[in-house]
Amino acid sequence: MGRRFPRQFVFGAATSSYQIEGAASEDGRGPSIWDTYCRTPGKVQNGDTGDVACDHYHRWPEDIALMKELSLSAYRFSLAWPRWFPTGTESAPVEAGVAFYDRLVDGLLQAGITPWVTLYHWDLPQALQDRGGWADRDTAHRFVAFADAVGQRLGDRVQHFITHNEPWCAGVLGHWLGRHAPGHRDPAEALAAVHHLLLSHGLAVPVLRQHAPAAEVGITLNLTPAYPASDSIGDALATERIDGHINRWFLDPVHGRGYPADQWAHYVEEGHLGKAEPTWLRPGDLDTMAAPIDFLGVNYYSRALGRGPEPGNHPRTIEPPPQSSKTDIGWEVAPQGLLDLLLRLQRDYGTPLVITENGAAYHTGPDEDGRVRDTARIAYYASHLDACALAIEQGVDLGGYFAWSLLDNFEWAEGYSQRFGLVYVDYATQRRVIKDSGRWYADLARTGALPETEVPG
Ligand code: IFM
């Protein structure tokens, strides 16, 4: 046997509403920004949409049965805001939408699986986008009204809440790089959107606690440890900036340190923040964002390599070395990055940690005998879970791990071209097949011990 996890360690799997639910116009659900983005030509591979996805909205009992077969003790999923509030401004939630999550939560509890609920995993009601979306402060207040309804309706049974999933993606990919909905390319707008996302997190935490006083409440950040591409000073400086942009811009305010001054200065220099305080930053905001949390959710996939700016250019992330192993989406397999990240978070911030996503995209489908022999994914999981166990041995307060993802699903701008699931989904028939990685993970979840010898190279 390899390393052992503590007895209470949570082994779960994660999904999100738009990526799996389908039933896009059922039971009064309003359109989200992703429905719009998917219909914008050229934005999503093959013109794919989440209209049907994994049809989880109808197949959730079958999916809970799969979770049982995988021996999961917890399941992380997100709520589709437009199922609760189709335009984001109604005075009360839509009963049919709430009823779906009631059934799901009850089904999970009956199966002995703890629900971990994420409120926002990117499906903003389109009508709120039409009023300005996350760039507008009012959206933060609409989010609090949503959180209030969620707390009221689910707070008697759900004891784990995550306000936001990956605000870097919602803010920067969505408003700066244009690669996610709403598809804007405006750095100044992106920084305003990020501010309102973090503000809404801080405003929602006490509201959730009011309804569920014993609940654990946190936020999930996508964190990417950055390393210099060489030992040159330029590359070291670039690496600091990449870290400031992706990691510290989020970690610091959530932990009461405000926005990092060095990164603030870079954004001013790059013209993304005016010379005076931006209008979106109001007195008290930084305190609000620092609402105490019970855990920090960490989503980790890979590391970044920093290269210093050539004259006239910005520092940039470079491609991984050619000899490195990559998943089918092109991300470098870098388990050491996860260990380094966990040790750093423990040292610099000290909040209890949970891995809320980690996993790998590989295309592997069923062989002729119907079995999915995804040995590369097993190797990825084994190496990253080993990093987690090692981090715990070295004193990191890490309470759980959620594999991304339970099911193959809609991978945003990549459409259905990337498969992250422990369970294979045949989209034509909606037939599910537990992959070899799912069986491997089930053994780990059952025994709490990493198998030493069975990990394929
Ligand atoms: O599929 C996404 C998920 O929605 C958010 N984190 C990263 C995953 C893989 O790209």
Side-chain angles (χ1 to χ4, degrees):
M1 279 291 172
R3 292 181 214 288
R4 258 198 175 281
F5 284 86
R7 194 174 290 283
Q8 297 308 318
F9 194 80
V10 173
F11 288 103
T15 63
S16 87
S17 47
Y18 191 74
Q19 292 180 274
I20 65 163
E21 283 180 4
S25 4
E26 252 175 77
D27 291 337
R29 176 187 177 277
S32 80
I33 54 173
W34 271 93
D35 295 286
T36 309
Y37 191 71
C38 289
R39 282 170 177 72
T40 311
K43 293 295 186 192
V44 174
Q45 268 200 45
N46 306 312
D48 289 343
T49 74
D51 286 0
V52 179
C54 306
D55 195 29
H56 172 76
Y57 192 76
H58 300 114
R59 292 168 196 264
W60 61 269
E62 183 189 342
D63 292 338
I64 291 182
L66 286 166
M67 294 175 213
K68 285 252 354 145
E69 223 176 314
L70 293 174
S71 299
L72 303 185
S73 61
Y75 172 53
R76 172 180 177 234
F77 60 97
S78 77
L79 308 174
W81 188 347
R83 285 197 197 283
W84 291 64
F85 296 96
T87 66
T89 51
E90 291 79 2
S91 54
V94 172
E95 274 313 310
V98 177
F100 165 66
Y101 296 107
D102 260 332
R103 292 193 292 273
L104 180 61
V105 164
D106 289 343
L108 288 166
L109 292 172
Q110 270 158 28
I113 298 167
T114 306
W116 286 55
V117 169
T118 304
L119 275 76
Y120 188 71
H121 198 126
W122 310 346
D123 38 1
L124 182 74
Q126 178 60 43
L128 287 185
Q129 184 62 47
D130 298 341
R131 299 161 67 113
W134 285 110
D136 187 304
R137 194 175 177 94
D138 184 56
T139 300
H141 296 295
R142 299 291 170 185
F143 180 74
V144 176
F146 172 42
D148 187 43
V150 169
Q152 245 180 64
R153 302 302 296 265
L154 302 181
D156 56 338
R157 285 154 295 154
V158 174
Q159 293 302 302
H160 298 86
F161 287 106
I162 294 168
T163 53
H164 282 282
N165 181 69
E166 302 182 351
W168 184 86
C169 293
V172 177
L173 284 182
H175 299 80
W176 184 325
L177 301 173
R179 296 213 303 263
H180 274 194
H184 299 178
R185 287 169 183 271
D186 179 344
E189 186 192 280
L191 293 175
V194 165
H195 184 74
H196 297 135
L197 283 155
L198 294 176
L199 181 69
S200 74
H201 154 74
L203 290 168
V205 169
V207 171
L208 290 165
R209 289 199 199 287
Q210 210 182 317
H211 294 295
E216 298 197 354
V217 184
I219 184 170
T220 281
L221 303 179
N222 54 304
L223 298 172
T224 306
Y227 302 83
S230 77
D231 55 12
S232 76
I233 295 199
D235 288 358
L237 291 174
T239 303
E240 268 303 294
R241 282 175 78 157
I242 291 165
D243 184 54
H245 176 66
I246 301 183
N247 303 321
R248 286 181 290 120
W249 197 258
F250 298 83
L251 283 165
D252 283 8
V254 163
H255 288 94
R257 300 179 191 176
Y259 291 113
D262 60 333
Q263 192 59 30
W264 186 282
H266 292 312
Y267 288 148
V268 169
E269 191 190 316
E270 288 166 9
H272 306 327
L273 291 170
K275 293 246 179 309
E277 292 272 276
T279 50
W280 42 256
L281 181 57
R282 301 210 185 148
D285 281 4
L286 296 174
D287 291 336
T288 303
M289 290 175 179
I293 49 175
D294 301 295
F295 64 92
L296 175 70
V298 176
N299 289 1
Y300 175 82
Y301 289 89
S302 191
R303 64 171 183 160
L305 289 181
R307 168 67 32 95
E310 284 121 37
N313 276 327
H314 292 304
R316 60 193 174 94
T317 300
I318 60 161
E319 285 299 307
Q323 70 279 11
S324 63
S325 159
K326 297 189 202 70
T327 64
D328 286 347
I329 203 170
W331 301 345
E332 185 186 7
V333 178
Q336 180 67 37
L338 178 56
L339 177 60
D340 293 346
L341 173 65
L342 292 172
L343 292 169
R344 176 217 181 163
L345 292 172
Q346 180 71 44
R347 185 193 64 219
D348 292 355
Y349 297 95
T351 309
L353 303 172
V354 174
I355 304 286
T356 42
E357 285 181 28
N358 176 236
Y362 290 107
H363 301 317
T364 332
D367 286 339
E368 270 178 9
D369 61 359
R371 188 167 147 194
V372 182
R373 294 176 170 82
D374 57 337
T375 50
R377 184 176 286 100
I378 295 177
Y380 181 97
Y381 276 126
S383 58
H384 288 74
L385 279 148
D386 192 59
C388 292
L390 196 55
I392 295 170
E393 276 176 33
Q394 295 184 20
V396 174
D397 183 358
L398 177 66
Y401 178 98
F402 289 79
W404 184 269
S405 175
L406 174 68
L407 304 168
D408 289 341
N409 60 46
F410 174 79
E411 178 53 24
W412 308 113
E414 312 296 328
Y416 294 96
S417 69
Q418 299 296 331
R419 293 180 175 273
F420 275 91
L422 293 171
V423 175
Y424 179 85
V425 177
D426 176 352
Y427 296 112
T429 61
Q430 291 294 345
R431 198 169 62 93
R432 277 99 158 115
V433 179
I434 296 182
K435 300 178 188 178
D436 280 7
S437 59
R439 307 235 171 257
W440 179 91
Y441 191 63
D443 279 348
L444 170 63
R446 248 191 318 273
T447 61
L450 279 164
E452 205 152 37
T453 48
E454 294 154 34
V455 181

